[in-house]
Amino acid sequence: MKGKALVKNRFFVGLFLLVVFLVVNSLILIKKENFNDLQFVDKIGLKGFLTFGKTSKDITKLPFPLSQSLVNSNLFHKFRFKSFKQYSKKDLTYDLSFDDKYCEEMVSDRELSISRDKLLPVDFEILQRNIYSNTFYKKLLEEAVHKHKSKIPIKKQWLRFGGSSVWLHDLQVHYMVSRLIFSPSGVPNKGIFSFLYVQIFDENWNELFQTLKVPEIVRIKQEGYTNDGFNDDVLLKTKLSSQNLQFPMILPIQFEYVLDSPYWGPEDPRIVKRNNPIFGFEEPVIVFNMKGIKLPNRVMYIYTPYSHDIKPLVKKDHSYASTEKNWTPFFSNQYLNADGKGTSKLNFLYSLKPLEVLTCDIDTAICEFVQKVEKDNINHFGSLRGGTQLESLPLNDILPENLRIKFPLGRQVYVGFARTHLNRCGCGESMYRPNLFLLIEDIDEGTGKSFFKIGEVSDFLDFDVQLPPWPKPELDDNGKLIETKLSVCDDKYRSVLIPNSIAYWDINSIKYKGINYPRDQFKQLSESVDSIDDVEFDDYLGVTLSAADSDVRIVHVKGLLNYIMNEPTLFDKKDVVQYDFLLKLSTDFNERCSEMASKEYCVAYGKANPPIISEEEKKKQEEEKQKQKDEKEKEEKEQKEKEQKEKDEKEQKEKEQKEKEQKEKEEKEKAKQEGSKDQGKEGHDESKGQSKDDSKDQVKEESKDKPENKDNQDSNHKNNPEN
């Protein structure tokens, strides 16, 4: 018996030692910086599970979000753009009206280093398996396929874009959520259903197909009323467990739908991360918009994947707009817990133009405005709209105190990429492009009230991305998809590049007096730095983008932190807003200038990318052109004939008028001549009568004189013998 017991004990001791040996060796391997020889579930799953719920004090030893091979590569090139600061003049008054000339005073030429964009595709076969493994999704898709009977390939009916990502230090992965659309027509803006698709990527931005062990928060609730009087489940207890998740995956979010209308399910996801205020580990928080049957409007929702908790966000004391979307999430240090590590409050830029800010409780989903503009139309939103989440500058515990940028007391600066939507501005039916902007929060230390303003906003940024055209599926007589060549500025479609997230932002190294100091030497460096003005940060930021609502891509930006450090207005105490009336002096001139510059970009882009015309379309256009030419020539001919006719008629009338006038003149002359003749005849007759009378008188006179003459003659004859 003793021998058997000894053997048994030795067996268990050996087994115990073997387990200890394996655990110790695993831990040793995990602590190594190079994890290439480990399986992913060990490399990330085990390490992540061992560390979640604990915050590492030495952040400098955590892996950098971007691999050193990418950092050290010739991946980056210079990228120039324009940016517009706040308008700040001494004579700034309430009634100051905008003038284009102010833009010249506010504009700055900026330069950053950016990488080439990298596409982040999906594996269609895995996607299909994931979507049909969910009973609810399988049922509604089968119904939709049966109803719509699409003739295009099934692969063309699935579209994925809007990828929003965060870097999870605990798990050492980029956690990305995208919008997945089922559209029988193949057109992105005519989708029937939307789903949320989650992928994970390593520091090289290669997708990982593995299982992760992640936290699971179990909330025990009972029906009741919240502190605000809302009828809702009351949280009794929160427990921490773990769960194994296979990536990629479809988030299990059920939704209402009606097959006869489109756009059901979660849309436009945005993601932020927080330290869980109870357990301390990093936790992704996802927000999206969704319409339903019970709620009359499309509203915003908040979802925490570690607890599977989903709620619609409610604006306290304010009605829903007809469509609630484009809320820009960000965390403010103002709402951090006493230990400074976690928060239960999430802020939103509700509107950028005009600037309005909400703060929402993550647990209750109740939101209150902390900055609100009174407007007649609650559905009014300007052309500058939400894009990525906002991120604070990466000046966290990784940097010693004396290496952090010093803003005025109570000031926080956030960075984000919005987007401007312009219609018919020179490129296609409409154009969407990102705009870099800075949001400034000034907190009144006495009242705790926050005042927000846009500190700077750029013109259109395209990150040198070669955009794909916006296609419209066309089928031939056999139901086969026709591949057509399109321009990114086709008149029928949109030209779209939308920013989705700031995937990460961190400092890789610091240059001081010509020497580069890596992350693990920051503390050593801080002891020798006299002035932060002599420090140059080697920081990297990743921005995810979607082009033509058909893909997801990543672009890396280098040097943004240095760019911000060189903006003097951010450090000017006189620029701090601590009263409501000062906000009226913080005009939106920079946003107006940005929109003007964006329109100039749009026109130039449209000229550089004219629509592509097919031979058939070209023939139609030529025929139409010839038709228009013929019609024009016909109109010109008719016009000439009309003009000639009018001219002839005019000349004829003039001729007739002249003839009439000539005739009248001749008649007058004739009449005049005849009148003169008659007058002459009468005068002749009178003269003749007078002559007769004179003759008669003469005869009479002669008759009287004849005897006397006869006597004289006789006398003369008598007296002259010759006679």
Side-chain angles (χ1 to χ4, degrees), residues 611-627:
I612 297 173
I613 303 172
S614 65
E615 291 300 321
E616 184 179 352
E617 186 66 25
K618 191 183 292 184
K619 186 178 179 181
K620 287 181 181 179
Q621 289 189 7
E622 288 175 354
E623 290 174 353
E624 183 64 27
K625 200 174 182 180
Q626 186 62 44
K627 183 180 178 182

mmCIF file with all atom_site columns, all heavy atoms in Angstrom, residues 611-627:
data_model
loop_
_atom_site.group_PDB
_atom_site.id
_atom_site.type_symbol
_atom_site.label_atom_id
_atom_site.label_alt_id
_atom_site.label_comp_id
_atom_site.label_asym_id
_atom_site.label_entity_id
_atom_site.label_seq_id
_atom_site.pdbx_PDB_ins_code
_atom_site.Cartn_x
_atom_site.Cartn_y
_atom_site.Cartn_z
_atom_site.occupancy
_atom_site.B_iso_or_equiv
_atom_site.pdbx_formal_charge
_atom_site.auth_seq_id
_atom_site.auth_comp_id
_atom_site.auth_asym_id
_atom_site.auth_atom_id
_atom_site.pdbx_PDB_model_num
ATOM 1   N N   . PRO A 1 611 ? -15.290 62.745 -65.943 1.00 0.00 ? 611 PRO A N   1
ATOM 2   C CA  . PRO A 1 611 ? -15.977 61.452 -66.094 1.00 0.00 ? 611 PRO A CA  1
ATOM 3   C C   . PRO A 1 611 ? -15.463 60.659 -67.288 1.00 0.00 ? 611 PRO A C   1
ATOM 4   O O   . PRO A 1 611 ? -15.133 61.220 -68.332 1.00 0.00 ? 611 PRO A O   1
ATOM 5   C CB  . PRO A 1 611 ? -17.440 61.859 -66.293 1.00 0.00 ? 611 PRO A CB  1
ATOM 6   C CG  . PRO A 1 611 ? -17.546 63.211 -65.663 1.00 0.00 ? 611 PRO A CG  1
ATOM 7   C CD  . PRO A 1 611 ? -16.234 63.868 -65.879 1.00 0.00 ? 611 PRO A CD  1
ATOM 8   N N   . ILE A 1 612 ? -15.371 59.340 -67.125 1.00 0.00 ? 612 ILE A N   1
ATOM 9   C CA  . ILE A 1 612 ? -14.971 58.438 -68.212 1.00 0.00 ? 612 ILE A CA  1
ATOM 10  C C   . ILE A 1 612 ? -16.204 58.102 -69.037 1.00 0.00 ? 612 ILE A C   1
ATOM 11  O O   . ILE A 1 612 ? -17.245 57.718 -68.502 1.00 0.00 ? 612 ILE A O   1
ATOM 12  C CB  . ILE A 1 612 ? -14.348 57.152 -67.651 1.00 0.00 ? 612 ILE A CB  1
ATOM 13  C CG1 . ILE A 1 612 ? -13.060 57.483 -66.875 1.00 0.00 ? 612 ILE A CG1 1
ATOM 14  C CG2 . ILE A 1 612 ? -14.049 56.165 -68.774 1.00 0.00 ? 612 ILE A CG2 1
ATOM 15  C CD1 . ILE A 1 612 ? -12.474 56.304 -66.148 1.00 0.00 ? 612 ILE A CD1 1
ATOM 16  N N   . ILE A 1 613 ? -16.080 58.218 -70.359 1.00 0.00 ? 613 ILE A N   1
ATOM 17  C CA  . ILE A 1 613 ? -17.224 57.999 -71.242 1.00 0.00 ? 613 ILE A CA  1
ATOM 18  C C   . ILE A 1 613 ? -16.990 56.742 -72.072 1.00 0.00 ? 613 ILE A C   1
ATOM 19  O O   . ILE A 1 613 ? -15.956 56.604 -72.734 1.00 0.00 ? 613 ILE A O   1
ATOM 20  C CB  . ILE A 1 613 ? -17.434 59.202 -72.165 1.00 0.00 ? 613 ILE A CB  1
ATOM 21  C CG1 . ILE A 1 613 ? -17.609 60.479 -71.330 1.00 0.00 ? 613 ILE A CG1 1
ATOM 22  C CG2 . ILE A 1 613 ? -18.649 59.003 -73.063 1.00 0.00 ? 613 ILE A CG2 1
ATOM 23  C CD1 . ILE A 1 613 ? -17.634 61.746 -72.152 1.00 0.00 ? 613 ILE A CD1 1
ATOM 24  N N   . SER A 1 614 ? -17.937 55.824 -72.047 1.00 0.00 ? 614 SER A N   1
ATOM 25  C CA  . SER A 1 614 ? -17.839 54.602 -72.848 1.00 0.00 ? 614 SER A CA  1
ATOM 26  C C   . SER A 1 614 ? -18.085 54.938 -74.322 1.00 0.00 ? 614 SER A C   1
ATOM 27  O O   . SER A 1 614 ? -18.608 56.004 -74.657 1.00 0.00 ? 614 SER A O   1
ATOM 28  C CB  . SER A 1 614 ? -18.866 53.576 -72.373 1.00 0.00 ? 614 SER A CB  1
ATOM 29  O OG  . SER A 1 614 ? -20.181 54.060 -72.612 1.00 0.00 ? 614 SER A OG  1
ATOM 30  N N   . GLU A 1 615 ? -17.721 53.979 -75.209 1.00 0.00 ? 615 GLU A N   1
ATOM 31  C CA  . GLU A 1 615 ? -17.909 54.198 -76.640 1.00 0.00 ? 615 GLU A CA  1
ATOM 32  C C   . GLU A 1 615 ? -19.392 54.387 -76.960 1.00 0.00 ? 615 GLU A C   1
ATOM 33  O O   . GLU A 1 615 ? -19.767 55.229 -77.778 1.00 0.00 ? 615 GLU A O   1
ATOM 34  C CB  . GLU A 1 615 ? -17.332 53.020 -77.435 1.00 0.00 ? 615 GLU A CB  1
ATOM 35  C CG  . GLU A 1 615 ? -15.819 52.920 -77.402 1.00 0.00 ? 615 GLU A CG  1
ATOM 36  C CD  . GLU A 1 615 ? -15.142 54.165 -77.968 1.00 0.00 ? 615 GLU A CD  1
ATOM 37  O OE1 . GLU A 1 615 ? -15.674 54.702 -78.975 1.00 0.00 ? 615 GLU A OE1 1
ATOM 38  O OE2 . GLU A 1 615 ? -14.114 54.595 -77.420 1.00 0.00 ? 615 GLU A OE2 1
ATOM 39  N N   . GLU A 1 616 ? -20.208 53.567 -76.329 1.00 0.00 ? 616 GLU A N   1
ATOM 40  C CA  . GLU A 1 616 ? -21.646 53.667 -76.565 1.00 0.00 ? 616 GLU A CA  1
ATOM 41  C C   . GLU A 1 616 ? -22.177 55.012 -76.083 1.00 0.00 ? 616 GLU A C   1
ATOM 42  O O   . GLU A 1 616 ? -22.955 55.675 -76.773 1.00 0.00 ? 616 GLU A O   1
ATOM 43  C CB  . GLU A 1 616 ? -22.366 52.525 -75.834 1.00 0.00 ? 616 GLU A CB  1
ATOM 44  C CG  . GLU A 1 616 ? -23.863 52.497 -76.097 1.00 0.00 ? 616 GLU A CG  1
ATOM 45  C CD  . GLU A 1 616 ? -24.554 51.337 -75.388 1.00 0.00 ? 616 GLU A CD  1
ATOM 46  O OE1 . GLU A 1 616 ? -23.828 50.483 -74.826 1.00 0.00 ? 616 GLU A OE1 1
ATOM 47  O OE2 . GLU A 1 616 ? -25.780 51.302 -75.405 1.00 0.00 ? 616 GLU A OE2 1
ATOM 48  N N   . GLU A 1 617 ? -21.728 55.386 -74.867 1.00 0.00 ? 617 GLU A N   1
ATOM 49  C CA  . GLU A 1 617 ? -22.153 56.661 -74.320 1.00 0.00 ? 617 GLU A CA  1
ATOM 50  C C   . GLU A 1 617 ? -21.598 57.813 -75.156 1.00 0.00 ? 617 GLU A C   1
ATOM 51  O O   . GLU A 1 617 ? -22.280 58.814 -75.388 1.00 0.00 ? 617 GLU A O   1
ATOM 52  C CB  . GLU A 1 617 ? -21.679 56.792 -72.869 1.00 0.00 ? 617 GLU A CB  1
ATOM 53  C CG  . GLU A 1 617 ? -22.194 58.023 -72.144 1.00 0.00 ? 617 GLU A CG  1
ATOM 54  C CD  . GLU A 1 617 ? -23.686 58.019 -71.932 1.00 0.00 ? 617 GLU A CD  1
ATOM 55  O OE1 . GLU A 1 617 ? -24.280 56.920 -71.894 1.00 0.00 ? 617 GLU A OE1 1
ATOM 56  O OE2 . GLU A 1 617 ? -24.263 59.113 -71.814 1.00 0.00 ? 617 GLU A OE2 1
ATOM 57  N N   . LYS A 1 618 ? -20.345 57.629 -75.597 1.00 0.00 ? 618 LYS A N   1
ATOM 58  C CA  . LYS A 1 618 ? -19.733 58.655 -76.437 1.00 0.00 ? 618 LYS A CA  1
ATOM 59  C C   . LYS A 1 618 ? -20.525 58.815 -77.739 1.00 0.00 ? 618 LYS A C   1
ATOM 60  O O   . LYS A 1 618 ? -20.753 59.938 -78.210 1.00 0.00 ? 618 LYS A O   1
ATOM 61  C CB  . LYS A 1 618 ? -18.289 58.264 -76.746 1.00 0.00 ? 618 LYS A CB  1
ATOM 62  C CG  . LYS A 1 618 ? -17.473 59.391 -77.394 1.00 0.00 ? 618 LYS A CG  1
ATOM 63  C CD  . LYS A 1 618 ? -16.075 58.905 -77.740 1.00 0.00 ? 618 LYS A CD  1
ATOM 64  C CE  . LYS A 1 618 ? -15.268 58.634 -76.483 1.00 0.00 ? 618 LYS A CE  1
ATOM 65  N NZ  . LYS A 1 618 ? -13.868 58.255 -76.808 1.00 0.00 ? 618 LYS A NZ  1
ATOM 66  N N   . LYS A 1 619 ? -20.944 57.665 -78.322 1.00 0.00 ? 619 LYS A N   1
ATOM 67  C CA  . LYS A 1 619 ? -21.738 57.709 -79.543 1.00 0.00 ? 619 LYS A CA  1
ATOM 68  C C   . LYS A 1 619 ? -23.067 58.423 -79.300 1.00 0.00 ? 619 LYS A C   1
ATOM 69  O O   . LYS A 1 619 ? -23.511 59.247 -80.117 1.00 0.00 ? 619 LYS A O   1
ATOM 70  C CB  . LYS A 1 619 ? -21.989 56.286 -80.045 1.00 0.00 ? 619 LYS A CB  1
ATOM 71  C CG  . LYS A 1 619 ? -22.693 56.220 -81.398 1.00 0.00 ? 619 LYS A CG  1
ATOM 72  C CD  . LYS A 1 619 ? -22.846 54.769 -81.839 1.00 0.00 ? 619 LYS A CD  1
ATOM 73  C CE  . LYS A 1 619 ? -23.582 54.705 -83.175 1.00 0.00 ? 619 LYS A CE  1
ATOM 74  N NZ  . LYS A 1 619 ? -23.764 53.295 -83.630 1.00 0.00 ? 619 LYS A NZ  1
ATOM 75  N N   . LYS A 1 620 ? -23.685 58.091 -78.156 1.00 0.00 ? 620 LYS A N   1
ATOM 76  C CA  . LYS A 1 620 ? -24.945 58.742 -77.812 1.00 0.00 ? 620 LYS A CA  1
ATOM 77  C C   . LYS A 1 620 ? -24.747 60.238 -77.642 1.00 0.00 ? 620 LYS A C   1
ATOM 78  O O   . LYS A 1 620 ? -25.563 61.045 -78.093 1.00 0.00 ? 620 LYS A O   1
ATOM 79  C CB  . LYS A 1 620 ? -25.510 58.137 -76.522 1.00 0.00 ? 620 LYS A CB  1
ATOM 80  C CG  . LYS A 1 620 ? -26.079 56.748 -76.679 1.00 0.00 ? 620 LYS A CG  1
ATOM 81  C CD  . LYS A 1 620 ? -26.639 56.255 -75.346 1.00 0.00 ? 620 LYS A CD  1
ATOM 82  C CE  . LYS A 1 620 ? -27.206 54.847 -75.477 1.00 0.00 ? 620 LYS A CE  1
ATOM 83  N NZ  . LYS A 1 620 ? -27.727 54.342 -74.173 1.00 0.00 ? 620 LYS A NZ  1
ATOM 84  N N   . GLN A 1 621 ? -23.648 60.572 -76.963 1.00 0.00 ? 621 GLN A N   1
ATOM 85  C CA  . GLN A 1 621 ? -23.370 61.988 -76.742 1.00 0.00 ? 621 GLN A CA  1
ATOM 86  C C   . GLN A 1 621 ? -23.095 62.699 -78.064 1.00 0.00 ? 621 GLN A C   1
ATOM 87  O O   . GLN A 1 621 ? -23.529 63.835 -78.261 1.00 0.00 ? 621 GLN A O   1
ATOM 88  C CB  . GLN A 1 621 ? -22.191 62.154 -75.786 1.00 0.00 ? 621 GLN A CB  1
ATOM 89  C CG  . GLN A 1 621 ? -22.513 61.783 -74.348 1.00 0.00 ? 621 GLN A CG  1
ATOM 90  C CD  . GLN A 1 621 ? -21.400 62.150 -73.389 1.00 0.00 ? 621 GLN A CD  1
ATOM 91  O OE1 . GLN A 1 621 ? -20.431 62.805 -73.756 1.00 0.00 ? 621 GLN A OE1 1
ATOM 92  N NE2 . GLN A 1 621 ? -21.543 61.735 -72.149 1.00 0.00 ? 621 GLN A NE2 1
ATOM 93  N N   . GLU A 1 622 ? -22.356 62.005 -78.983 1.00 0.00 ? 622 GLU A N   1
ATOM 94  C CA  . GLU A 1 622 ? -22.082 62.603 -80.291 1.00 0.00 ? 622 GLU A CA  1
ATOM 95  C C   . GLU A 1 622 ? -23.372 62.783 -81.084 1.00 0.00 ? 622 GLU A C   1
ATOM 96  O O   . GLU A 1 622 ? -23.571 63.805 -81.748 1.00 0.00 ? 622 GLU A O   1
ATOM 97  C CB  . GLU A 1 622 ? -21.085 61.738 -81.055 1.00 0.00 ? 622 GLU A CB  1
ATOM 98  C CG  . GLU A 1 622 ? -19.671 61.800 -80.509 1.00 0.00 ? 622 GLU A CG  1
ATOM 99  C CD  . GLU A 1 622 ? -18.731 60.840 -81.211 1.00 0.00 ? 622 GLU A CD  1
ATOM 100 O OE1 . GLU A 1 622 ? -19.223 60.047 -82.048 1.00 0.00 ? 622 GLU A OE1 1
ATOM 101 O OE2 . GLU A 1 622 ? -17.514 60.880 -80.911 1.00 0.00 ? 622 GLU A OE2 1
ATOM 102 N N   . GLU A 1 623 ? -24.245 61.750 -81.002 1.00 0.00 ? 623 GLU A N   1
ATOM 103 C CA  . GLU A 1 623 ? -25.529 61.860 -81.685 1.00 0.00 ? 623 GLU A CA  1
ATOM 104 C C   . GLU A 1 623 ? -26.356 62.985 -81.088 1.00 0.00 ? 623 GLU A C   1
ATOM 105 O O   . GLU A 1 623 ? -26.991 63.756 -81.818 1.00 0.00 ? 623 GLU A O   1
ATOM 106 C CB  . GLU A 1 623 ? -26.290 60.527 -81.584 1.00 0.00 ? 623 GLU A CB  1
ATOM 107 C CG  . GLU A 1 623 ? -25.680 59.403 -82.410 1.00 0.00 ? 623 GLU A CG  1
ATOM 108 C CD  . GLU A 1 623 ? -26.379 58.071 -82.173 1.00 0.00 ? 623 GLU A CD  1
ATOM 109 O OE1 . GLU A 1 623 ? -27.249 58.016 -81.264 1.00 0.00 ? 623 GLU A OE1 1
ATOM 110 O OE2 . GLU A 1 623 ? -26.055 57.087 -82.874 1.00 0.00 ? 623 GLU A OE2 1
ATOM 111 N N   . GLU A 1 624 ? -26.339 63.056 -79.790 1.00 0.00 ? 624 GLU A N   1
ATOM 112 C CA  . GLU A 1 624 ? -27.073 64.125 -79.114 1.00 0.00 ? 624 GLU A CA  1
ATOM 113 C C   . GLU A 1 624 ? -26.475 65.483 -79.461 1.00 0.00 ? 624 GLU A C   1
ATOM 114 O O   . GLU A 1 624 ? -27.206 66.463 -79.684 1.00 0.00 ? 624 GLU A O   1
ATOM 115 C CB  . GLU A 1 624 ? -27.026 63.893 -77.594 1.00 0.00 ? 624 GLU A CB  1
ATOM 116 C CG  . GLU A 1 624 ? -27.819 64.906 -76.772 1.00 0.00 ? 624 GLU A CG  1
ATOM 117 C CD  . GLU A 1 624 ? -29.300 64.860 -77.038 1.00 0.00 ? 624 GLU A CD  1
ATOM 118 O OE1 . GLU A 1 624 ? -29.804 63.783 -77.435 1.00 0.00 ? 624 GLU A OE1 1
ATOM 119 O OE2 . GLU A 1 624 ? -29.953 65.892 -76.851 1.00 0.00 ? 624 GLU A OE2 1
ATOM 120 N N   . LYS A 1 625 ? -25.138 65.487 -79.535 1.00 0.00 ? 625 LYS A N   1
ATOM 121 C CA  . LYS A 1 625 ? -24.440 66.717 -79.895 1.00 0.00 ? 625 LYS A CA  1
ATOM 122 C C   . LYS A 1 625 ? -24.789 67.139 -81.316 1.00 0.00 ? 625 LYS A C   1
ATOM 123 O O   . LYS A 1 625 ? -25.038 68.318 -81.594 1.00 0.00 ? 625 LYS A O   1
ATOM 124 C CB  . LYS A 1 625 ? -22.936 66.487 -79.761 1.00 0.00 ? 625 LYS A CB  1
ATOM 125 C CG  . LYS A 1 625 ? -22.125 67.746 -79.641 1.00 0.00 ? 625 LYS A CG  1
ATOM 126 C CD  . LYS A 1 625 ? -20.679 67.374 -79.361 1.00 0.00 ? 625 LYS A CD  1
ATOM 127 C CE  . LYS A 1 625 ? -19.840 68.633 -79.185 1.00 0.00 ? 625 LYS A CE  1
ATOM 128 N NZ  . LYS A 1 625 ? -18.419 68.286 -78.919 1.00 0.00 ? 625 LYS A NZ  1
ATOM 129 N N   . GLN A 1 626 ? -24.795 66.130 -82.246 1.00 0.00 ? 626 GLN A N   1
ATOM 130 C CA  . GLN A 1 626 ? -25.146 66.408 -83.635 1.00 0.00 ? 626 GLN A CA  1
ATOM 131 C C   . GLN A 1 626 ? -26.593 66.874 -83.732 1.00 0.00 ? 626 GLN A C   1
ATOM 132 O O   . GLN A 1 626 ? -26.925 67.786 -84.504 1.00 0.00 ? 626 GLN A O   1
ATOM 133 C CB  . GLN A 1 626 ? -24.927 65.157 -84.488 1.00 0.00 ? 626 GLN A CB  1
ATOM 134 C CG  . GLN A 1 626 ? -25.131 65.372 -85.976 1.00 0.00 ? 626 GLN A CG  1
ATOM 135 C CD  . GLN A 1 626 ? -24.159 66.376 -86.553 1.00 0.00 ? 626 GLN A CD  1
ATOM 136 O OE1 . GLN A 1 626 ? -22.967 66.344 -86.245 1.00 0.00 ? 626 GLN A OE1 1
ATOM 137 N NE2 . GLN A 1 626 ? -24.649 67.275 -87.394 1.00 0.00 ? 626 GLN A NE2 1
ATOM 138 N N   . LYS A 1 627 ? -27.446 66.218 -82.952 1.00 0.00 ? 627 LYS A N   1
ATOM 139 C CA  . LYS A 1 627 ? -28.859 66.587 -82.936 1.00 0.00 ? 627 LYS A CA  1
ATOM 140 C C   . LYS A 1 627 ? -29.020 68.024 -82.460 1.00 0.00 ? 627 LYS A C   1
ATOM 141 O O   . LYS A 1 627 ? -29.785 68.810 -83.048 1.00 0.00 ? 627 LYS A O   1
ATOM 142 C CB  . LYS A 1 627 ? -29.631 65.630 -82.020 1.00 0.00 ? 627 LYS A CB  1
ATOM 143 C CG  . LYS A 1 627 ? -31.118 65.889 -81.979 1.00 0.00 ? 627 LYS A CG  1
ATOM 144 C CD  . LYS A 1 627 ? -31.806 64.890 -81.052 1.00 0.00 ? 627 LYS A CD  1
ATOM 145 C CE  . LYS A 1 627 ? -33.300 65.179 -80.965 1.00 0.00 ? 627 LYS A CE  1
ATOM 146 N NZ  . LYS A 1 627 ? -33.973 64.242 -80.024 1.00 0.00 ? 627 LYS A NZ  1
#
